[in-house]
Amino acid sequence: MERRSPGSLNHRLFVVTLLAKGALGVLQLATAAAIFAGAVDRLPALTQWLFRAELAENPNDFLATRAMSLAGVIPTSDLAFYTTYFLAHGGLHIAIVVALLYGAAWAHRAAVFVLWAFVIYQLFEWLTVGGVALLILTAIDLTVIYITVCEQRSRAHLEP
């Protein structure tokens, strides 16, 4: 079997994927902080402000009208749940990414376990609620699982 070096394409793809997952975790923590700070109440006005020039030029602009409609339908009833969810989800992503980049021996298996848990949860939510975004997130997580397993196997073959 061919040995892969840490500079291989698979390893670089693994690192890029980890950095993307880390960025997603930071975004999720920022989302939790924004919800906690009350940004949901101000989102329609902020969206209107951001897209006012585009809407003045073209009132039927796809992106601007879509953003306006999405800003108006954000649920406000379970903000404590969403804050907790994004805080936990983002924190877990960041912890796993740091452990994997640090090279912790347990991190690959933990990452695969956590990602499978997210896949199962997202598929359950998709079956009950629907939504293309959940399928996209699931596909991304499945890809990351595959890349993580490949990286784990590669490291196992490199170690004496």
Side-chain angles (χ1 to χ4, degrees), residues 38-126:
V40 172
D41 296 332
R42 295 186 288 275
L43 192 58
L46 177 63
T47 307
Q48 178 71 35
W49 178 78
L50 287 171
F51 288 101
R52 72 174 182 248
E54 188 60 38
L55 288 170
E57 183 180 309
N58 179 5
N60 297 321
D61 181 78
F62 177 76
L63 181 62
T65 56
R66 192 75 169 144
M68 292 298 298
S69 68
L70 289 174
V73 297
I74 293 177
T76 58
S77 60
D78 290 334
L79 292 181
F81 167 77
Y82 289 113
T83 303
T84 305
Y85 176 79
F86 282 123
L87 187 63
H89 201 259
L92 201 50
H93 269 96
I94 291 171
I96 291 293
V97 166
V98 168
L100 285 168
L101 289 175
Y102 182 70
W106 54 268
H108 286 87
R109 288 182 189 205
V112 169
F113 175 79
V114 167
L115 288 172
W116 269 116
F118 287 143
V119 164
I120 291 166
Y121 174 76
Q122 289 159 185
L123 287 175
F124 175 77
E125 283 296 308
W126 177 75

